[in-house]
Amino acid sequence: MRERLRRRSGTSGADGTEIATPEGGATAVAVEERTREPEPVAAARPAPVVRRRRGVGDLEPVLLLRAAHPKQAAVTALGIAACAALAGRELREVGVVLLTVLVGQTILGWHNDLVDRGRDARHDLPGKPVAQGRLDPGSVWFAIACAALLLVPLAVSTGITAGSCYLLAVAIGLLANVALRRGLLSWLPWAASFALYPAYLSYGGWGGQHEGNPPEVAVVVLFALLGVGVHVLRALWGLVPDNKDGWTYLPLRLGLRLGAARLLTVTSVYLGVVLLALAFAGTSVGLSR
């Protein structure tokens, strides 16, 4: 009985609640614990910022190279240079043709990435340093200006007429980057620019004052057909984002009807036939009249 009363005895805390203690000496300790202010929590330290180390792929010359569509530029330049060699041009002339076409294709690649940087970023396309923000558009424009200053003397070094034909082909390619590419006439700039390549080769020679002969009509037509095939082949890897953007150009219409795999097969056969026809025309009638 005495022990029970001892357990019920005690004092009230700061909030008015009774603090039951077996012994009266523990009351002060209980009150102190209930009224003690919580210790301040140490502020969390911000997480350290991890910076990605810049490698060789982040250097501006490397990014400019990636933005220039190097594979297409190299294949086109080598193809036109091979045509010049098969036409009997001297080695030094073949070298000038190779360099000229390479510079022109580089300009077209840079310009294409500048025009498409918004949609490339929207579709998160790989291999697009301008769209990814890794390459400043101003640097690309500056590179285009420098390359154009190099392209003009290179083109006219094989003759004014020949150089003008190639510069016109590049101008048509630049126009194609901003016009006609979304509709049914998307093939037209490709056909027109490729049709000028035989004129560039047939009128060209060594020295700015050289004047050759006009190209054969059959070769011009075959080069135009080649340009259409190259257009379809280049567009195959972008059919999905182009369809999302509502484009209605020729490769997309063909892809929707045939399927991408079948269209690739048909395009490859088409290009093979055109190249065989070009080889036959080159050996039978020649490049120029």
Side-chain angles (χ1 to χ4, degrees), residues 93-116:
E93 297 177 18
V94 174
V96 173
V97 168
L98 175 65
L99 184 57
T100 303
V101 178
L102 187 61
V103 174
Q105 289 295 313
T106 299
I107 291 175
L108 291 174
W110 283 334
H111 184 254
N112 180 266
D113 269 22
L114 284 172
V115 172
D116 285 351

Side-chain angles (χ1 to χ4, degrees), residues 211-256:
E211 292 186 7
N213 300 316
E216 288 286 348
V217 176
V219 176
V220 173
V221 173
L222 288 172
F223 261 88
L225 295 176
L226 180 65
V228 176
V230 172
H231 167 47
V232 177
L233 184 65
R234 284 280 295 118
L236 273 171
W237 284 265
L239 293 181
V240 174
D242 294 343
N243 189 32
K244 291 181 179 179
D245 289 343
W247 291 21
T248 58
Y249 66 151
L250 178 63
L252 181 58
R253 287 178 173 259
L254 294 175
L256 292 175

Side-chain angles (χ1 to χ4, degrees), residues 28 42 52 55 107 126 160 166 184 268:
R52 189 175 65 89
I107 291 175
I160 300 297
Y166 183 71
L184 290 177
S268 301

Side-chain angles (χ1 to χ4, degrees), residues 28-241:
V29 177
V31 172
E32 182 181 356
E33 290 180 353
R34 294 180 66 91
T35 58
R36 182 183 301 168
E37 295 182 0
E39 296 181 0
V41 180
R45 296 182 179 180
V49 179
V50 180
R51 295 183 179 180
R52 189 175 65 89
R53 297 180 62 182
R54 290 175 60 88
V56 178
D58 296 314
L59 298 177
E60 190 168 90
V62 178
L63 295 175
L64 282 171
L65 178 63
R66 294 184 60 185
H69 301 192
K71 293 181 180 179
Q72 178 181 344
V75 170
T76 305
L78 289 172
I80 302 301
C83 291
L86 293 174
R89 300 280 288 273
E90 297 181 8
L91 183 60
R92 59 182 182 179
E93 297 177 18
V94 174
V96 173
V97 168
L98 175 65
L99 184 57
T100 303
V101 178
L102 187 61
V103 174
Q105 289 295 313
T106 299
I107 291 175
L108 291 174
W110 283 334
H111 184 254
N112 180 266
D113 269 22
L114 284 172
V115 172
D116 285 351
R117 66 182 183 272
R119 65 188 301 267
D120 289 343
R122 186 168 63 252
H123 295 294
D124 195 21
L125 297 181
K128 301 291 184 180
V130 179
Q132 295 168 350
R134 301 172 61 195
L135 183 60
D136 181 52
S139 299
V140 184
W141 280 116
F142 180 74
I144 289 177
C146 294
L149 293 176
L150 177 63
L151 178 63
V152 174
L154 274 175
V156 300
S157 66
T158 57
I160 300 297
T161 303
S164 299
C165 290
Y166 183 71
L167 292 176
L168 180 59
V170 174
I172 292 174
L174 294 173
L175 180 62
N177 284 336
V178 296
L180 298 180
R181 56 185 304 198
R182 303 182 182 184
L184 290 177
L185 296 179
S186 63
W187 57 271
L188 186 58
W190 287 82
S193 60
F194 269 71
L196 288 168
Y197 288 153
Y200 167 59
L201 296 176
S202 63
Y203 282 114
W206 186 253
Q209 301 301 320
H210 181 84
E211 292 186 7
N213 300 316
E216 288 286 348
V217 176
V219 176
V220 173
V221 173
L222 288 172
F223 261 88
L225 295 176
L226 180 65
V228 176
V230 172
H231 167 47
V232 177
L233 184 65
R234 284 280 295 118
L236 273 171
W237 284 265
L239 293 181
V240 174

